[in-house]
Amino acid sequence: MPDVLHDLLGEALHIVLCGTAASTASAKASAYYAHTQNKFWTILHETGLTPKKLQPHQFRDLLHYRIGLTDLVKTHSGMDHQIPLSRLRKVARERLRASIAGSRPRFLAFTSKTAGQAFLGGKRDYGEQPEWLDQTRIWILPSTSGAANGSWRPEIWHQFADKVRSQRR
């Protein structure tokens, strides 16, 4: 199956942000985090990871800030509970590992607990994880989806941004 959204990866990335899969709105718009209720673009700006608030159609501009984007599952779209993770987990993990090995970012941050737990293989809390992928630190951040408002904790995103700034190459 073709990818719903193409990876936004490249050399010299500092961060790769990884969701579970593209939302229906993102798939339709061909842009990451495109739903109007999604807080992704706002929190990137509020934390200082981007100097201005970008719009979903400007997602490619993240490369200027050494930020890349991908999803754990590239071939499906929808809400986390609609993605057949149990069937796709192994292939998704291998693909993401290869993508991270190729771009070698300083940080891999999952933008949903579902994606982070599926990749790491078990229950996890938000924040920095003990595992690394070679030289890449792993974080799990609260989802920016409007459907996840009940678990929204912007302070974790701010902690992540502070750690990123302290580790600039």
Side-chain angles (χ1 to χ4, degrees):
M1 294 180 75
D3 289 357
V4 174
L5 291 176
H6 295 291
D7 288 337
L8 182 69
L9 299 174
E11 295 182 19
L13 291 177
H14 203 66
I15 303 166
V16 171
L17 297 167
C18 179
T20 305
S23 70
T24 303
S26 291
K28 184 176 179 181
S30 296
Y32 283 89
Y33 303 97
H35 195 284
T36 57
Q37 299 295 315
N38 199 298
K39 297 177 278 304
F40 181 79
W41 301 103
T42 300
I43 196 68
L44 284 185
H45 175 60
E46 285 178 1
T47 59
L49 291 173
T50 59
K52 63 182 180 178
K53 182 180 175 188
L54 300 173
Q55 298 300 312
H57 70 275
Q58 297 174 297
F59 73 91
R60 289 175 193 85
D61 291 353
L62 287 175
L63 291 176
H64 298 296
Y65 310 113
R66 298 177 64 189
I67 299 172
L69 298 172
T70 190
D71 290 302
L72 183 62
V73 175
K74 300 297 296 174
T75 56
H76 292 70
S77 62
M79 297 180 76
D80 284 2
H81 72 273
Q82 298 171 314
I83 307 301
L85 274 174
S86 59
R87 184 167 52 89
L88 301 171
R89 185 173 288 133
K90 184 176 187 226
V91 170
R93 281 181 187 159
E94 290 171 4
R95 180 177 177 156
L96 183 57
R97 282 184 196 281
S99 294
I100 296 303
S103 57
R104 301 181 329 179
R106 191 77 157 146
F107 296 91
L108 168 62
F110 291 97
T111 60
S112 82
K113 191 181 272 192
T114 299
Q117 289 180 159
F119 182 77
L120 295 168
K123 294 278 186 197
R124 299 301 174 104
D125 202 358
Y126 297 119
E128 189 168 3
Q129 303 302 303
E131 297 89 349
W132 290 45
L133 288 177
D134 193 25
Q135 298 296 312
T136 301
R137 291 186 165 116
I138 300 174
W139 278 68
I140 297 177
L141 303 171
S143 174
T144 57
S145 169
N149 279 341
S151 60
W152 179 237
R153 295 179 54 198
E155 69 274 11
I156 309 267
W157 278 82
H158 284 274
Q159 290 167 9
F160 172 66
D162 290 344
K163 182 66 114 173
V164 167
R165 278 188 285 281
S166 75
Q167 300 294 311
R168 291 277 182 203
R169 294 184 204 187

